[in-house]
Amino acid sequence: MNKTQIAKICEAQRAFFATGKTLDVNFRIVQLKRLREFIKRYENQLEAAMKKDLCKSEVEGFLCDVGPSIMEITETIKGLKKWARSETHFSGLLCWPSVVTKVHKMPYGNCLIISPFNFPVLLTFGVLAACISGGNTAVLKCSSKSSESTKVMKKLIRDAFPQKYITVIDGGHDVADMCLDQRFDKIFYTGSPKVGVHVMQKAAKNLTPVALELGGETGNWCVIRKDANLKDAARKIAFFKACNSGQICININQIAVAREVAEPFIEELKKAFEKQLGPNAIQNDEYPKLITKAAYDKCDNWVKKYKSKLVYGGQGDGKTHKYNPTILYPMSADDDICKQELFNPILPIVPFADNQIDKVLKMIASREHGLALYLFTSDIAWAKRVMKTQQFGGGCINEVCIHLMVKGVPFNGTGHSGIGAYHGEWGFREFTHPTTVLMGKKYFNLPLREHPYNGKNGIKYKMIKSMMR
């Protein structure tokens, strides 16, 4: 795919959008149903592709990618007519006699969706569902790292939709830049903060609005108080860190554990890993691998750097790119590994005195906002206060990750962890622009806004002031 071909695709999509066909809500619903139908039709191929790319088992592929995509589309189909309905507002006495104002939810037009490798199906089709619901056309730039998944998605979209409406473009960073050099009406990017900056710079040339779903530059914290149920916390954290081998934007990056319970918690965490994956996870066929050799080497280099803190795991297979869940303890929050997103199965554990929890939260708040925050404690009142005062994308109290699965709520981060929000109605809003239209009247218009005003002692000023309260 070269720049000329991409430009022709964008031109064809812009022409198709100009026909007004996508403005029809019923048309959008038909397309969403078609997308859902083809995902179901290609389910086995998608799961097989993810197994090749990431060594995900078919069950994990359905649980984390295919199934949530179907759920997202179904929710969108059910709610779309209500979401897309124009709003009616009272214009106010100052606008008399034009008392009716409408707010129409208008599509942006031609959209670019750049999706990542870690959840190639969900983070492509979940965003596409929102894009279609808004009445847009879409160019999907899928990841070259998850090449097998991209091949299947390209075939699926080609079979389901005409290129002038939706198409998949594959290739590396050079192809992504070719896409970004085109004039789109909306860009949705999922990936790292560093590339997010690059996307915004490219989009700024055309003042194109951007939504970013980012992992968080300094990682997502999990805090475990001394009153937490350690076995329950360990079980959930072990599942989460093993899922996709830690390559999840909302995954736990580092854990702050009350020193009073740190060692018993680590023992529970070791047991949980072994119960779920066996004594050597890299020999488990269902345990995913790291996406590339570079990702594997980065993980291995971190472990080598902190080998004196290694208390569990630390072994990998350079051929399969699988790396065992690894615990490093005791770590400092100022260690380099605790200051960035890892995207692998390493868990640095930072001990703290439970009565110093406020200092821990202050430290977390001083860093770039994470995409997620997880708290384990029996003090629910305290946890609720924290969740209302910290800045982060989303999170859980005494649970991990499943806030992502809740219908009707927004998902994304803030600052270095994201811009905008999507899922359900929030996705529809992200891909539409609210257009305000006042319904004017020909008769009985008051001359209040017109000259002459006759100063502040005049009747016009007094009437205007009485209305503008």
Side-chain angles (χ1 to χ4, degrees), residues 2 16 47 103 160-161 193 196 215 223 226 262 278 286 316 318 320 334 364 397:
N2 58 46
F16 179 71
E47 290 164 3
V103 178
F161 304 107
V223 178
K226 70 177 183 180
E286 293 189 331
T320 63
D334 292 325
I364 294 172
I397 299 171

Side-chain angles (χ1 to χ4, degrees), residues 126-163:
V127 181
L128 178 60
C131 180
I132 291 173
S133 76
N136 305 280
T137 63
V139 170
L140 308 175
K141 167 57 186 73
C142 299
S143 177
S144 59
K145 291 180 180 178
S146 49
S147 58
E148 294 299 323
S149 299
T150 294
K151 284 179 187 177
V152 177
M153 290 190 290
K154 190 172 185 178
K155 188 174 186 299
L156 184 157
I157 292 296
R158 188 172 61 241
D159 289 350
F161 304 107
Q163 189 181 63

Side-chain angles (χ1 to χ4, degrees), residues 446-458:
L446 298 178
L448 291 178
R449 62 189 173 186
E450 301 163 6
H451 287 279
Y453 298 126
N454 299 319
K456 284 196 172 184
N457 292 323

Side-chain angles (χ1 to χ4, degrees), residues 43-109:
E43 177 186 329
N44 292 336
Q45 293 183 50
L46 290 167
E47 290 164 3
M50 287 185 284
K51 189 170 182 64
K52 289 179 181 177
D53 287 329
L54 289 152
C55 203
K56 284 186 183 182
S57 70
E58 289 84 353
V59 175
E60 185 170 323
F62 184 84
L63 174 67
C64 298
D65 270 89
V66 177
S69 298
I70 293 170
M71 287 175 59
E72 182 74 19
I73 296 166
T74 300
E75 179 186 357
T76 304
I77 291 168
K78 289 180 179 178
L80 183 54
K81 285 191 175 181
K82 179 181 177 182
W83 305 339
R85 194 178 301 145
S86 296
E87 298 174 10
T88 302
H89 296 262
F90 173 56
S91 305
L93 291 176
L94 194 63
C95 299
W96 178 269
S98 304
V99 295
V100 176
T101 294
K102 295 284 187 179
V103 178
H104 305 299
K105 286 70 175 286
M106 298 299 295
Y108 280 104

Side-chain angles (χ1 to χ4, degrees), residues 249-260:
C249 57
I250 58 170
N251 214 324
I252 295 166
N253 202 76
Q254 57 279 98
I255 307 177
V257 183
R259 184 174 286 109
E260 295 89 332

